[in-house]
Amino acid sequence: MLFPTVEYAVFFLIVLAIAWLLRRWLIPHKIFLLFASYVFYGFWSWRYVPLLFFVSLFAGLIARGIQLAENQDRRKQLLVAGVTLCMVVLVYYKYTSFLLLSALGLWGLVGRTPVWNLPAPFLPLGISFFVFHAISLMADVYRRKLKIRLHLLDALLYVAFFPQLIAGPILRASNFIPQLAKLRNAHAIRVNRAFLLILSGLFKKVILSNILSTRLVEPVFSSPADFHRGDVWLAIYGYAAQIYCDFSGYTDIATGCAMLLGYRFPRNFNAPYTATDPQDFWQRWHISLSSWLRDYLYIPLGGSRGSTARTYINLMITMLLGGLWHGAAWTFVMWGALQGFYLVVHRLWVTNNIAAVQKLRAAAWWPWTSRLLMFHAVCVGWVFFRSPTFSVARSVFAQLRSGGPVTLAAWPVVLCLLLGLFGQYAPRMWRRGLEATMSRVPMPVNGTAMALGIWIIEMFGPTGVAPFIYFQF
């Protein structure tokens, strides 16, 4: 069930109406939302609903055990057992094929020919996200960040809550579960803000991302050798805009839907292509994942508390695993390695005390130069992220040297590209001003305007809606 579809619109309106009818009864309200979340997930494939349920239940039971245990050793044992089992589930479903193929490839290097073909398990949708939520639940309880008593129903709903279930954002148990302990307050909901989020998300996904994908990115990355330098540059920039519009659009819709139900999600994107350095980029891009990797992986590895060399190793390990989390392919590992390399180089740069370097960093023109350099460094990584194999990535880079006509620069493509990239520079006061204007208009008028906006997006969008990019992760 894709967000930009009639099926989801009908589903959400039914869920919204019933959820608010049950708002005065906390337990029935949460039971209904949990049931709706399983229906939402089961729409894709009912055979993996039991997996979602048992991962959630197991994490909830472990977290309850940690919360009730008084002995620190017992708490640590429960945490290790819980995280280990969750990782075993993730590795089995997501990385079995990758590990087998890599092992067989190494076997082939020594002149052996594989004599068997083991089928890999089918990848459940959104498994990385709900496993990370399960781990966050147990870790937050272990760290005593969850200040209230954990109930199993809350644990199940936290992992399975349908707006974030398939592709995030990754919620922290310590931030979301306390919301489940309170009755919904209709007066506290910023309805106009939710409307704007949903409309902007649909526009970014249905219009910008789809047009860039179908008319620019997909043709070039499917057959790079058929295109010349201009088209390849456009496709690289196009994918940078596409993945941002696709994922931030999904997040906007998810956040708006959750807001209408009375729940708050953390901000997941903050104009990432305006970043001036790698650290700044990861404080703006997929914030819920980057902060998760920082708090649950980088810091436990030692963070920056050890030697300089150890800090660099921790950064590389974190980003390599972050790349592998995105997909079971060596191109994702390469993408993660590049991100780690960027972060290491940036630390070397900011700690450099050479007078010429300090003068360069203090120059008035340097922030925009560094912003331009950072954007292109990110684009290099996106080539590996988008390419299914290294040979495709090499072909994309090779075609940057080839001269020839530009054939894909149609005005709708260029317009979508400019909006996707430079729209991030739009002042926030514009959105706040629009929200303030909407607050002075009667709600029926705003509702009508939203319905009209959705109709216009549907009318101008390409036929059919491609799945969100991050569904595969």
Side-chain angles (χ1 to χ4, degrees), residues 133-310:
H133 278 91
I135 293 174
S136 174
L137 173 63
M138 295 180 288
D140 279 7
V141 171
Y142 176 79
R143 295 176 177 180
R144 304 186 192 277
K145 290 186 175 182
L146 187 63
K147 304 301 182 182
I148 63 174
R149 182 183 178 185
L150 177 65
H151 299 280
L152 283 180
L153 177 59
D154 291 349
L156 294 172
L157 183 55
Y158 159 67
V159 176
F161 190 44
F162 71 88
Q164 56 76 36
L165 175 60
I166 303 300
I170 300 173
L171 308 179
R172 300 294 181 92
S174 54
N175 293 331
F176 185 75
I177 288 180
Q179 297 183 52
L180 299 176
K182 303 174 183 178
L183 293 173
R184 301 300 94 203
N185 179 7
H187 299 290
I189 298 176
R190 297 170 62 183
V191 176
N192 294 327
R193 171 68 172 147
F195 282 177
L196 289 176
L197 282 169
I198 292 172
L199 277 177
S200 68
L202 288 171
F203 177 73
K204 285 190 283 188
K205 167 58 186 173
V206 176
I207 303 293
L208 301 185
S209 177
N210 271 9
I211 288 177
L212 290 171
S213 174
T214 56
R215 300 191 186 184
L216 178 60
V217 177
E218 186 63 33
V220 172
F221 278 84
S222 295
S223 183
D226 294 339
F227 298 91
H228 300 291
R229 177 170 42 216
D231 285 330
V232 174
W233 272 118
L234 282 175
I236 293 173
Y237 293 151
Y239 185 67
Q242 180 202 345
I243 192 171
Y244 167 74
C245 292
D246 190 280
F247 194 24
S248 68
Y250 179 95
T251 299
D252 287 348
I253 299 170
T255 302
C257 291
M259 192 176 290
L260 290 176
L261 289 167
Y263 298 94
R264 300 184 309 276
F265 280 4
R267 187 171 190 174
N268 209 27
F269 290 89
N270 182 19
Y273 294 146
T274 66
T276 56
D277 58 65
Q279 184 177 6
D280 187 23
F281 176 78
W282 282 104
Q283 291 172 346
R284 295 170 176 272
W285 176 272
H286 201 348
I287 301 169
S288 63
L289 173 64
S290 58
S291 61
W292 196 100
L293 291 172
R294 178 197 65 205
D295 294 343
Y296 297 105
L297 184 56
Y298 176 68
I299 292 177
L301 284 172
S304 57
R305 298 189 299 272
S307 65
T308 300
R310 184 63 201 179

Side-chain angles (χ1 to χ4, degrees), residues 8-21:
Y8 178 77
V10 173
F11 166 81
F12 180 72
L13 289 175
I14 293 173
V15 170
L16 183 66
I18 297 176
W20 279 105
L21 287 174

Side-chain angles (χ1 to χ4, degrees), residues 89-146:
V89 170
L90 180 62
V91 169
Y92 171 73
Y93 282 101
K94 190 167 184 176
Y95 300 105
T96 296
S97 178
F98 174 69
L99 294 173
L100 285 174
L101 290 175
S102 298
L104 293 175
L106 290 174
W107 193 5
L109 291 177
V110 297
R112 305 278 184 138
T113 302
V115 294
W116 69 82
N117 182 21
L118 297 178
F122 182 77
L123 180 64
L125 202 65
I127 186 171
S128 295
F129 286 94
F130 68 72
V131 167
F132 269 31
H133 278 91
I135 293 174
S136 174
L137 173 63
M138 295 180 288
D140 279 7
V141 171
Y142 176 79
R143 295 176 177 180
R144 304 186 192 277
K145 290 186 175 182
L146 187 63

Side-chain angles (χ1 to χ4, degrees), residues 374-404:
M374 185 63 224
F375 173 70
H376 283 87
V378 169
C379 286
V380 171
W382 287 145
V383 172
F384 291 101
F385 195 93
R386 175 59 178 80
S387 301
T389 63
F390 282 119
S391 62
V392 172
R394 285 195 300 268
S395 181
V396 169
F397 288 126
Q399 292 305 108
L400 293 177
R401 301 191 299 268
S402 65

